[in-house]
Amino acid sequence: MSDTPSDASPQPRQPFARGLPLAAPLRLNRPSDTWFKPALSVVAASAVPHLTLLALGRLDLVMYTMAGSLCALYGHGLPYARRARAVAGVVVSMAAGLAAALVTASLTHSTAVLVAVGALLAATQKVACDAVRIGPPGPVILTFVSSAALFAPQRLGQVPAHLALTLGAGAVAWLVCVGPALIRREGPERRAVARALDAAADRVAEPGPRTRHTAAAAVHAAWQCLLASGRPTPVRRSLERLVVHAEAAGASAHPDQDADRLRTWAALARARGPVPEPPPAPGTAAERAELYGVDAERAAVYGIDAERAAVYGIDAERAALRGSGGRRAARRTLLRSLGPGSHLLPVAARTLIGCALAGYLCAALGVGRPYWAIVTAASLYQANTTLTWNRTLQRTLGNLLGVLVFAAVLPLSRTGPLALVLCCLFFSFAAEALITRNYWLGSVAVTPMALLVLEFGGTHPAGELVGDRVLDTLLGALAGFLAAALVTNRRATGRVERALQAAAQARTEAERAYADRARTGPDGLDRARRALTARLVELREAADIAAGEWWQRALPEQRLLAAERAGHRTLAATAQRQGPPVRAPEARRGAVAPAPANGAA
């Protein structure tokens, strides 16, 4: 665990603009292992208000209930305790954006003002979603609803009732998202742990920097999921033990790990049966006694296996997160991400300029409601310019194919109100079922769904709808990418420098905890190791973002490589000597700490 060497050699100048791929962004991927969850959730959350309005003969109000129903797309990777808070926050944010749009639409009919408000809302929603890391589908759903509402006829007296419809549908979406907790309480945790085990198996089967980083990121995500899951249960205890094994395999601490066994554990953890019980980690009682400065008898009594260290360590972290200190730290992190100097601000500027430019171009060319151009531009902005280019290709192709699908299905949707509702529900499901394969494939279903929503307010000429949508798509994509290319984000490299410093500090703290393990105990060492893993994941994320950004100075490639190697060597070295806690809670009363019970989820 030597010090990371500094990179004193001169760095080659980084090119201002990188080559842009054409074929790679359009290749299909494997579907997500949870693609069906948002797909079924949005259908269930939409069907209740849609069919209710159909029975009442008020399908003209679908736009307002759909705003709340679309909140069911969020939070499916989170444990239910955190998902309940996250989806509630999305519902409130959706209602706030919709309220701003409806009030603006009721006060003015100026296209210039409406476009400016739409661009401002899109930029605010983008930076807010990135700051809290809400995850897919990100701000695009919020921007779609608020932008469409800006150009819908509205009177000020109607706003409260329309917002009530949104909040009511949002409540249904919230119930749909958290309802499965009654059936499978630890489902999200089981899937997160299964991903960590699969990534660790890939690391064992094919050692290399790519699989090493993937395994570290998956293990970090699993620990974060378990930390956010609430109070421990027997199933969560068993899952924590599995993550310890995934962490050891991902760090190459135990080269005798069996990839097939890890994948078998992953399949069982993902299934509905009992969580597998892994064998004890290597190490005799005498070795553990030497490690923590106690006699062998106490080590045998108080620690059955090495995974108990992680169990008690994560309990300490849960307690810290539940306290006021954890909440204050979260608030400070959020404020830093929104404050001056944040790497998110250039992306917000891109969104504001690109959306405004797209809206004004469409308005100048005679498009009456250029909201789709605003949504198209807003949907492009990713972490860097290269990824934004990829999304530009995907969005353009998907929208152009989607208008063809809309033209084909429009006669069927006009056969009756029920047919229109069923078509919307079908495309809602298809969009989520396909979008994990590739964004353009999902856009093929999103486009006809968005156009069919207009049919609830009355029929429109098909040629006009198709023509406006094609024009909006092309101008929105052009303006959006132009803003991304011209608005620089030089702060991306500064973020890499800060990540390098944070990784070095976390590595030093892990080494200190390892050297002083007799005093700090295994829970302190385990927390230090998890903190180091988090810093390494953030370092790789910052480096990947900066590598795809234009108009910036060269990255410190040698320092990045050295920091990552040193950090992972520290993880591997400390993982080899983890042991049990010196004292379990039951030991204070003279009882032997029992191994956690297991059960089906």
Side-chain angles (χ1 to χ4, degrees):
M1 290 183 284
S2 59
D3 293 336
T4 303
S6 61
D7 181 26
S9 60
Q11 293 292 324
R13 186 176 181 82
Q14 184 164 309
F16 282 157
R18 299 175 178 274
L20 297 176
L22 293 176
L26 305 180
R27 294 194 185 110
L28 298 182
N29 306 310
R30 290 182 179 179
S32 165
D33 59 346
T34 57
W35 66 266
F36 57 92
K37 291 186 174 296
L40 293 176
S41 295
V42 73
V43 170
S46 301
V48 173
H50 278 29
L51 296 176
T52 301
L53 292 176
L54 176 62
L56 296 175
R58 292 303 309 269
L59 285 178
D60 56 303
L61 300 174
V62 158
M63 184 182 78
Y64 308 107
T65 59
M66 179 171 281
S69 300
L70 290 174
C71 296
L73 295 172
Y74 291 85
H76 291 280
L78 300 174
Y80 289 109
R82 179 167 290 183
R83 185 185 304 184
R85 298 191 296 271
V87 177
V90 170
V91 172
V92 172
S93 301
M94 179 72 79
L98 182 62
L102 293 179
V103 170
T104 303
S106 65
L107 296 178
T108 181
H109 298 290
S110 169
T111 301
V113 174
L114 296 176
V115 169
V117 172
L120 184 60
L121 285 173
T124 302
Q125 290 158 345
K126 171 64 177 174
V127 72
C129 287
D130 285 356
V132 300
R133 300 192 175 205
I134 187 60
V140 66
I141 299 297
L142 304 174
T143 302
F144 166 67
V145 169
S146 59
S147 299
L150 279 168
F151 295 92
Q154 194 71 205
R155 294 195 305 273
L156 197 59
Q158 297 174 314
V159 173
H162 291 165
L163 289 178
L165 289 173
T166 298
L167 291 173
V172 174
W174 185 88
L175 291 173
V176 169
C177 286
V178 303
L182 300 175
I183 303 172
R184 198 166 186 242
R185 181 171 52 172
E186 294 90 0
E189 297 94 305
R190 294 180 69 141
R191 287 188 293 274
V193 172
R195 294 188 194 106
L197 290 166
D198 281 331
D202 293 339
R203 164 69 170 155
V204 172
E206 299 179 18
R210 181 186 60 82
T211 55
R212 182 185 65 191
H213 168 69
T214 302
V219 167
H220 174 64
W223 280 127
Q224 293 303 305
C225 188
L226 289 167
L227 277 169
S229 62
R231 299 190 180 279
T233 64
V235 172
R236 288 172 186 151
R237 290 297 196 200
S238 297
L239 292 173
E240 289 163 6
R241 290 164 167 256
L242 288 172
V243 179
V244 174
H245 279 261
E247 189 173 22
S252 296
H254 300 292
D256 59 340
Q257 287 279 2
D258 185 356
D260 291 336
R261 181 174 62 175
L262 291 169
R263 291 195 176 97
T264 300
W265 287 346
L268 292 174
R270 192 178 279 114
R272 291 184 174 273
V275 177
E277 281 285 2
T284 65
E287 291 171 345
R288 294 194 294 267
E290 178 189 358
L291 181 62
Y292 293 106
V294 297
D295 57 80
E297 182 180 357
R298 288 178 64 198
V301 170
Y302 297 139
I304 304 301
D305 53 58
E307 289 88 336
R308 300 291 286 182
V311 170
Y312 290 114
I314 199 172
D315 281 348
E317 285 192 63
R318 282 196 184 102
L321 290 174
R322 285 198 297 268
S324 59
R327 291 191 293 269
R328 283 196 299 269
R331 283 195 296 267
R332 285 195 299 269
T333 302
L334 178 61
L335 290 176
R336 279 197 302 269
S337 65
L338 297 175
S342 169
H343 65 282
L344 298 178
L345 296 184
V347 179
R350 288 173 175 174
T351 306
L352 178 64
I353 295 171
C355 291
L357 181 60
Y360 288 132
L361 282 176
C362 281
L365 293 177
V367 177
R369 300 196 297 176
Y371 78 93
W372 190 252
I374 297 175
V375 176
T376 298
S379 68
L380 305 182
Y381 298 111
Q382 303 301 298
N384 56 42
T385 310
T386 302
L387 294 177
T388 299
W389 163 257
N390 294 349
R391 183 56 54 87
T392 302
L393 284 182
Q394 295 162 352
R395 180 84 183 193
T396 303
L397 176 62
N399 284 3
L400 295 181
L401 293 176
V403 295
L404 299 179
V405 175
F406 168 75
V409 80
L410 185 60
L412 174 63
S413 68
R414 289 181 172 176
T415 58
L418 180 60
L420 179 59
V421 169
L422 293 178
C423 284
C424 280
L425 294 178
F426 170 77
F427 284 114
S428 297
F429 178 86
E432 297 307 312
L434 298 174
I435 204 164
T436 59
R437 298 294 305 274
N438 194 296
Y439 187 85
W440 73 263
L441 196 58
S443 297
V444 174
V446 169
T447 302
M449 181 196 70
L451 285 168
L452 288 173
V453 172
L454 299 176
E455 294 288 292
F456 288 111
T459 58
H460 300 78
E464 177 184 334
L465 288 175
V466 171
D468 286 352
R469 185 51 51 89
V470 170
L471 182 62
D472 286 349
T473 295
L474 296 176
L475 290 179
L478 176 63
F481 183 72
L482 182 63
L486 296 181
V487 177
T488 61
N489 187 7
R490 294 180 179 272
R491 295 173 183 177
T493 307
R495 185 186 177 194
V496 173
E497 294 289 346
R498 291 190 296 273
L500 280 168
Q501 295 173 5
Q505 181 179 355
R507 183 168 66 89
T508 300
E509 292 174 354
E511 293 173 357
R512 185 181 296 118
Y514 177 80
D516 200 17
R517 54 195 177 273
R519 182 180 63 83
T520 60
D523 53 347
L525 175 59
D526 200 70
R527 287 197 301 272
R529 294 186 73 259
R530 281 199 288 271
L532 176 57
T533 302
R535 299 292 84 79
L536 290 173
V537 171
E538 291 173 5
L539 176 61
R540 176 42 45 194
E541 177 186 341
D544 289 343
I545 290 173
E549 195 56 78
W550 291 3
W551 323 108
Q552 63 174 330
R553 63 187 183 274
L555 293 178
E557 299 285 356
Q558 295 300 322
R559 289 176 59 201
L560 281 169
L561 180 61
E564 287 186 307
R565 285 178 174 173
H568 285 287
R569 282 199 302 268
T570 299
L571 287 177
T574 54
Q576 288 175 3
R577 295 299 304 274
Q578 289 190 84
V582 174
R583 182 171 55 194
E586 294 83 355
R588 297 171 186 154
R589 298 185 297 270
V592 177
N598 196 2

